[in-house]
Amino acid sequence: MKKLNTSPISGMQELLPAKQAIFNNLKNKIAEVYHRHGYLDIETPSIERTEILLAKAGGDTEKQIYKVNKTAESADCADQALRFDHTVPLARYVVEHENDLAFPFKVSQIGLSFRGERAQKGRFREFYQCDIDIIGRQNLPIAYDADILATLISTYNSFEIKTPIIARINNRKITTGLLNFLNLSEKSADIYSIIDHAEKIPVEKTNEALLEIGLNEDDVKKILAFINLHGERSFVVKNLSNLAVTDETFLAGVAELDQVMYLLESMGLSENISADMKIVRGLDYYTGTVFEFFLPEYREIGSMGGGGRYENLTGYFTEQKFPGVGGSIGLTRLFYVLNECGLLPDASDKTIDYAIVPISENEYDYAFNVASKLQAKGSSTTIVLTDKKLGDKITYAAKLAKYGIVIGESEAKSSHLTVKDFDTGKTSDLDLDA
Amino acid sequence: MKKLNTSPISGMQELLPAKQAIFNNLKNKIAEVYHRHGYLDIETPSIERTEILLAKAGGDTEKQIYKVNKTAESADCADQALRFDHTVPLARYVVEHENDLAFPFKVSQIGLSFRGERAQKGRFREFYQCDIDIIGRQNLPIAYDADILATLISTYNSFEIKTPIIARINNRKITTGLLNFLNLSEKSADIYSIIDHAEKIPVEKTNEALLEIGLNEDDVKKILAFINLHGERSFVVKNLSNLAVTDETFLAGVAELDQVMYLLESMGLSENISADMKIVRGLDYYTGTVFEFFLPEYREIGSMGGGGRYENLTGYFTEQKFPGVGGSIGLTRLFYVLNECGLLPDASDKTIDYAIVPISENEYDYAFNVASKLQAKGSSTTIVLTDKKLGDKITYAAKLAKYGIVIGESEAKSSHLTVKDFDTGKTSDLDLDA
């Protein structure tokens, strides 16, 4: 026999059952909260035509894309690839099914995406992305941005992780408007890029970088003061007003930020939000609200997801305009990070409630019967059917389940059952008809 | 703008939200019932090394496999492919993680598989397979076959489809033993293939086929009588005994079939099972119990899933022996078939409970507040934030949700809410604090 490598391909998540149960639990919570907030779930195919996936993308995306080919050459499978995110497939979906959807279309997508990145710790080539988006036809009021944020914050809070999460929120109109006002629009791409990196480097380096692209010291000072502005809504809005910027885009951005954060406050989420002028998000298709999630007590691990407002989802597929706002939780990375930081629930918590241990084959029928009844009541129940010694069967049962029920001749006859709690060793009677 | 084709690739499922909700509901029920029966869920990567996937397979599988390649050539992505089922990845997983698993290992896998088949009606290139398997180390008692069958039957029954499902059950040892007894072992591959097709052709054709491979008329008669044997356990077992076959394999097969079906009867599943000597399942790796699911009232649509017992899961990866029993629900095909037959629940049933309709922006904060409270109670609740006329907002709300709550100035002030049932038109008071 040829010895084959049985490890999973590097950059792919593969978990043992106990960890998988925790992962599934987070995934189910995401689905549940998204649904509870009125998002309609869809699932597009994992494989799309390459021309669709690359209609907009370029550079890195094209390099990271996984193309698929049938081994037997066939013309109808040429030029297909695995999706690298949910945004492009969503754009295609909206254009394709426009007439069957009610707009604004509140939509969720939970599924795998694929990127052939260089494998490294904490980066995955196959990963779950859990997106929500709200797509309007022609226009989409700003209050929907609060809807997206409220849903994502509620989702994180549902995880019951013992460290709080903060959404750092900005509006790109504010930054754009300020740069207009300072006559720096021509350099805005460079400045955005510098702001985007400002968090990870000392302020002197940012200062240097801004001088290097030709800004004068006065403007640099203004920009540094501006991007340092963060905190509670009323505080930040007041300070922004104090800048006395008259640019209309700036003022519109401040008003939008104010409204979005006010609505989140009215939902009791003040503790989970912070205005922050350093958040711009690199992706150039965001045009208004932008946000990223952080664990303030674990700042070093960086962003835990984010999103924002975009002017047009479908620009590459149709002349019609579909503005939207959306956000995403990168579940596979999030799970990896929470695990590394020891923030996940204990993986030794067993997910099976009862293990039924018939002593001999004579009790199998009764054991199956008891199991059916417990299962019908919603308890996860397994039956130990190995032909081993009773002690070995009980050891196996105790590895899997919280409670054990041994069934011998007398139990099968009398229908009297004793349940043993494997953790405490305590026993109690079980009345199946109760 | 170049006009791009925005339809999904042929052979891929893409549903509108209302249908997707029904699909998700079935998928969630499968996961829930599998869990309730004590199966531990795992998820292997979609992408595997080609040498792993093709270790055992040949012929059609190799032709149907989707290879993946990064656009930018890179040595570490060479020779990878999308999985075409869950069995091969499970074998790899068991060998890789053997020391961390408790055997017998009851495992479930719910996920996508990929086959580049020729696209045709009702066949999918990307499809959900929902597998359960029980893997033993060295040996696995026969009663576990009943566990698999009971779980799959309970899963189908949980769908609440208005037509019953039947598991037609056989044991390949019976057929093999009979052929031994008749001195036809040398022709058994041909005979198995003929039995496997017998259902789809008239009995005269089967008769002809058996004569063609060189059987005498007496043996043909015996085989035709044998494969026609089906029905209740005690009836079939009695008739098999009446054949007076002395072959040991035959007798072992009858005893196994008897035991498996007896245990299913003791779980109250008599209505869902039938012994049937015509079921052999083409796949040559089954060695004992085999079964397939059918809707007796929709016989023409064929098998709705199946499975069986195999001698060794991991023969291509390790010298150690891991016998198993397993079964699978092909959810994407099942969903397609149920939809075609009109057996799915009504897709017009709305999945969102409440739509909150604030009359103006002044009520947005209160509307969000009410939504949070309903969501916290577990109700799916959406807020209509468009700047349209009230009538248009209500029309949109009625498309999405079961109930509507209009919030104007007086509602926001008095906290008095009226709920309208969009189906009946009836209104009632809502007390949020109750």
Side-chain angles (χ1 to χ4, degrees), chain A residues 1-2 4-9 12-17 20 24 35-38 40-49 51-52 55 62-63 65-72 76-77 80 82 92-93 95-97 100-106 112 114 116-117 125-126 128 139 141 143-144 146-147 259 262-263 266-267 315-319 351-352 361 364-365 368-369 372 375 378-387 396 399-400, chain B residues 1-2 4-9 12-17 20 24 35-38 40-49 51-52 55 62-63 65-72 76-77 80 82 92-93 95-97 100-106 112 114 116 125-126 128 139 141 143-144 146-147 259 262-263 266-267 315-319 351-352 361 364-365 368-369 372 375 378-387 396 399-400:
Chain A
M1 189 185 320
K2 188 182 157 198
L4 295 172
N5 178 359
T6 56
S7 65
I9 291 170
M12 308 277 175
Q13 174 180 269
E14 180 162 283
L15 304 170
L16 287 170
Q20 184 75 53
N24 290 356
H35 169 66
R36 221 190 295 149
H37 283 249
L40 302 175
D41 195 55
I42 66 162
E43 185 172 356
T44 64
S46 314
I47 304 176
E48 294 276 359
R49 291 183 196 87
E51 64 171 5
I52 290 282
E62 182 150 5
K63 276 181 217 146
I65 208 169
Y66 274 113
K67 288 209 168 202
V68 300
N69 299 93
K70 285 208 295 177
T71 330
D76 67 352
C77 178
Q80 299 181 0
L82 292 168
R92 183 188 58 68
Y93 184 98
V95 172
E96 179 70 12
H97 304 291
D100 295 307
L101 303 173
F103 291 90
F105 178 39
K106 286 177 64 169
L112 289 167
F114 302 85
E117 296 190 78
R125 289 172 170 178
E126 174 186 275
Y128 273 97
N139 69 73
Y144 279 108
D147 195 324
Q259 191 183 349
Y262 169 75
L263 290 174
S266 72
M267 281 177 266
Y316 292 84
F317 302 140
T318 177
E319 305 285 354
T351 54
I352 297 174
E361 287 200 15
Y364 278 9
D365 51 353
F368 268 105
N369 190 281
S372 312
Q375 287 154 356
S379 298
S380 172
T381 306
T382 197
I383 317 172
V384 181
L385 299 163
T386 49
D387 39 14
Y396 169 77
K399 264 188 211 163
L400 290 175
Chain B
M1 190 184 322
K2 187 182 159 199
L4 295 171
N5 179 359
T6 56
S7 65
I9 291 170
M12 308 276 176
Q13 174 180 273
E14 181 162 280
L15 304 170
L16 287 170
Q20 184 75 51
N24 291 356
H35 169 68
R36 222 191 293 148
H37 284 248
L40 302 175
D41 196 54
I42 66 162
E43 185 171 356
T44 63
S46 313
I47 303 176
E48 294 275 0
R49 292 183 195 88
E51 63 171 6
I52 290 281
E62 181 148 7
K63 278 183 213 142
I65 209 169
Y66 274 112
K67 289 209 167 203
V68 301
N69 300 92
K70 284 207 294 178
T71 329
D76 69 349
C77 178
Q80 299 182 359
L82 294 168
R92 182 188 59 66
Y93 185 96
V95 172
E96 178 71 11
H97 304 291
D100 295 308
L101 303 173
F103 291 90
F105 178 40
K106 287 178 64 169
L112 290 168
F114 302 85
R125 290 172 169 178
E126 173 186 274
Y128 274 97
N139 68 73
Y144 279 109
D147 195 324
Q259 190 183 350
Y262 169 75
L263 290 173
S266 72
M267 282 176 265
Y316 292 85
F317 302 140
T318 176
E319 306 285 352
T351 56
I352 297 173
E361 287 200 15
Y364 278 9
D365 51 355
F368 268 104
N369 190 282
S372 312
Q375 286 154 355
S379 298
S380 171
T381 306
T382 198
I383 316 171
V384 181
L385 300 163
T386 49
D387 41 13
Y396 169 78
K399 265 188 210 161
L400 290 176

Side-chain angles (χ1 to χ4, degrees), chain B residues 201-377:
Chain B
I201 56 176
V203 65
E204 300 77 38
K205 292 273 178 195
T206 305
N207 188 75
E208 232 171 74
L210 289 168
L211 288 172
E212 257 171 37
I213 60 167
L215 270 57
N216 65 45
E217 291 206 2
D218 190 45
D219 284 345
V220 170
K221 219 171 133 186
K222 279 179 186 156
I223 289 173
L224 288 179
F226 169 74
I227 66 174
N228 194 38
L229 193 54
H230 65 274
E232 205 213 331
R233 173 181 64 96
S234 55
F235 168 79
V236 170
V237 168
K238 195 174 152 236
N239 274 274
L240 288 171
S241 305
N242 288 347
L243 295 178
V245 175
T246 52
D247 180 89
E248 275 183 24
T249 305
F250 179 90
L251 296 172
V254 174
E256 287 186 3
L257 180 70
D258 195 26
Q259 190 183 350
V260 169
M261 291 187 73
Y262 169 75
L263 290 173
L264 292 167
E265 285 170 13
S266 72
M267 282 176 265
L269 299 174
S270 310
E271 300 293 305
N272 292 113
I273 55 174
S274 172
D276 198 323
M277 297 303 110
K278 218 172 260 159
I279 298 298
V280 292
R281 290 184 66 77
L283 294 165
D284 56 9
Y285 77 104
Y286 290 118
T287 52
T289 301
V290 281
F291 54 85
E292 290 195 17
F293 290 95
F294 291 86
L295 305 179
E297 294 171 17
Y298 295 83
R299 200 104 187 185
E300 69 282 5
I301 60 185
S303 167
M304 308 289 278
R309 158 74 68 146
Y310 38 88
E311 218 44 57
N312 192 4
L313 175 71
T314 59
Y316 292 85
F317 302 140
T318 176
E319 306 285 352
Q320 215 188 315
K321 210 178 132 194
F322 291 97
V325 56
S328 180
I329 298 176
L331 178 59
T332 306
R333 184 176 131 74
L334 176 69
F335 183 84
Y336 174 85
V337 165
L338 293 176
N339 188 39
E340 290 284 299
C341 295
L343 290 168
L344 289 177
D346 192 348
S348 68
D349 288 353
K350 298 169 209 163
T351 56
I352 297 173
D353 301 312
Y354 296 97
I356 298 179
V357 185
I359 290 177
S360 81
E361 287 200 15
N362 297 329
E363 293 86 33
Y364 278 9
D365 51 355
Y366 186 64
F368 268 104
N369 190 282
V370 169
S372 312
K373 286 187 179 158
L374 289 168
Q375 286 154 355
K377 285 171 199 275

